[in-house]
Amino acid sequence: MPKNKTHSGAKKRFRVTGSGKIMREQAGARHLLEHKSSRKTRRLATDQVLETSDVKRVRAMLGI
């Protein structure tokens, strides 16, 4: 059985924690920051746990 290739876009967007959770970054934290409040930009800077409905698909893309 051949190995599965890791999706090159997925490996840039997701990371796996030591306990196996898949983390993602939040959208909207890259530009147009001048009008956003500092509280909102701090919140956008933190990573979020991936939704459970998407975990199976992302695991397949990452080859886990």
Side-chain angles (χ1 to χ4, degrees), residues 44-58:
L44 290 171
T46 59
D47 289 353
Q48 296 292 310
V49 180
L50 192 67
E51 290 295 322
T52 54
S53 58
D54 297 325
V55 168
K56 184 177 180 181
R57 186 162 38 104
V58 172

Side-chain angles (χ1 to χ4, degrees), residues 25-51:
E25 291 191 2
Q26 300 213 54
R30 290 289 177 260
H31 61 103
L32 303 177
L33 298 174
E34 189 173 352
H35 77 279
K36 291 183 174 90
S37 67
S38 57
R39 177 165 63 168
K40 184 163 187 168
T41 54
R42 280 195 307 272
R43 186 186 66 80
L44 290 171
T46 59
D47 289 353
Q48 296 292 310
V49 180
L50 192 67
E51 290 295 322

